[in-house]
């Protein structure tokens, strides 16, 4: 398995779990995502984008990272271009660090949807901000080693059928869920979390390191 971390421009905090997830991966930064290289003490092998939001005062080793420059008017976001560069280099597993939040809700939505599309193509994907993480759910079964009491939601990207959730405060047994339903928002882990899906596409959104309320 060839595992890459893609540094995107959304929110990111450093946690011990995130350090373990990116350890030993190859790294590509997408434009402003280079600021997270400092946060995570990583040096990317490539920096991709139109460079309209370059972080200030980069250390020499980051400023010297090879660049793949694209025009500002283009058909793909910097993040999608960075992901494409990783796939061209043989990536079979991706950590999308900084894929949530930030100033661009449209980019965050794209990363969520793109994660599911990549999973359908056989690429293992983890979206993370350090505080929360997202894992695509496709037809089949998946298990997760999360702590008791951890908040999670299942976001449907289509109608869902045969959805079973066990190891949760509010389990489900082979239910159908319409696209846009809030049925699977704000559940809690209770035991070993397992999700089975008969048909449809979704994303598990978990909160392993919840931030304090402001």
């Amino acid at each position: 398995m060839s595992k890459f971390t893609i540094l995107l421009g959304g929110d990111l905090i450093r946690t011990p779990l995130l350090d373990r997830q990116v350890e030993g991966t190859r790294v590509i930064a997408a434009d402003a995502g280079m600021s997270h290289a400092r946060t995570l003490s990583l040096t990317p092998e490539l920096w991709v984008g139109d460079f309209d939001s370059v972080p200030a005062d980069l250390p020499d080793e980051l400023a010297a990272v090879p660049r793949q420059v694209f025009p500002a008017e283009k058909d793909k976001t910097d993040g999608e271009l960075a992901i494409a560069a990783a796939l061209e280099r043989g990536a079979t597993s991706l950590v999308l660090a900084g894929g949530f939040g930030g100033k661009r809700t449209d980019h965050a939505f794209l990363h969520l949807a793109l994660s599911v599309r990549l999973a359908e193509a056989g690429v293992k994907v983890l979206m993370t901000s350090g505080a929360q993480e997202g894992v695509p759910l496709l037809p089949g079964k998946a298990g997760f080693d999360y702590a008791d009491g951890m908040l999670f939601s299942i976001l449907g990207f289509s109608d869902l059928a045969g959805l079973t959730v066990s190891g949760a405060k509010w389990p489900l047994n082979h239910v159908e869920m319409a696209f846009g339903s809030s049925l699977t928002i704000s559940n809690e882990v209770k035991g070993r979390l397992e999700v089975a899906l008969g048909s449809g596409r979704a994303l598990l959104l978990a909160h392993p390191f919840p931030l304090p309320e402001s």
Side-chain angles (χ1 to χ4, degrees):
M1 179 181 291
S2 184
K3 188 174 182 180
F4 279 71
T5 294
I6 309 298
L7 301 178
L8 301 168
D11 298 334
L12 191 77
I13 63 167
R14 187 171 185 173
T15 66
L17 176 60
L18 180 54
D19 281 343
R20 293 194 297 272
Q21 289 167 339
V22 303
E23 184 178 7
T25 65
R26 297 171 66 179
V27 183
I28 295 177
D31 209 340
M34 181 60 89
S35 62
H36 298 322
R38 286 185 290 191
T39 301
L40 300 176
S41 301
L42 298 173
T43 301
E45 64 183 65
L46 182 66
W47 192 1
V48 174
D50 54 28
F51 298 91
D52 62 352
S53 50
V54 175
D57 303 320
L58 284 177
D60 291 343
E61 66 270 19
L62 296 183
V65 168
R67 303 186 183 196
Q68 194 173 86
V69 182
F70 293 86
E73 296 183 358
K74 54 189 184 300
D75 295 332
K76 295 182 178 180
T77 65
D78 295 328
E80 191 172 6
L81 291 167
I83 290 168
L87 296 176
E88 289 171 359
R89 287 162 171 74
T92 56
S93 178
L94 297 172
V95 177
L96 305 184
F100 298 110
K103 298 178 181 179
R104 295 293 300 270
T105 301
D106 50 354
H107 285 200
F109 173 80
L110 170 69
H111 298 149
L112 290 166
L114 184 56
S115 293
V116 175
R117 181 162 68 96
L118 288 165
E120 289 179 322
V123 180
K124 184 177 180 180
V125 182
L126 172 72
M127 281 187 65
T128 179
S129 68
Q132 60 182 341
E133 59 185 42
V135 180
L137 297 172
L138 300 177
K141 297 181 180 180
F144 303 89
D145 294 319
Y146 288 130
D148 273 10
M150 190 203 69
L151 180 70
F152 74 93
S153 298
I154 294 175
L155 309 180
F157 283 82
S158 68
D159 293 342
L160 304 180
L163 175 63
T164 297
V165 179
S166 59
K169 184 175 181 178
W170 292 286
L172 296 172
N173 184 24
H174 208 73
V175 303
E176 295 187 2
M177 192 175 83
F179 175 61
S181 170
S182 62
L183 176 66
T184 52
I185 299 298
S186 295
N187 207 336
E188 294 179 17
V189 174
K190 190 175 182 180
R192 175 168 168 77
L193 178 63
E194 296 186 345
V195 180
L197 184 61
S199 64
R201 52 174 72 109
L203 185 135
L204 179 83
L205 183 63
H207 300 259
F209 285 89
L211 297 175
E213 296 291 338
S214 56

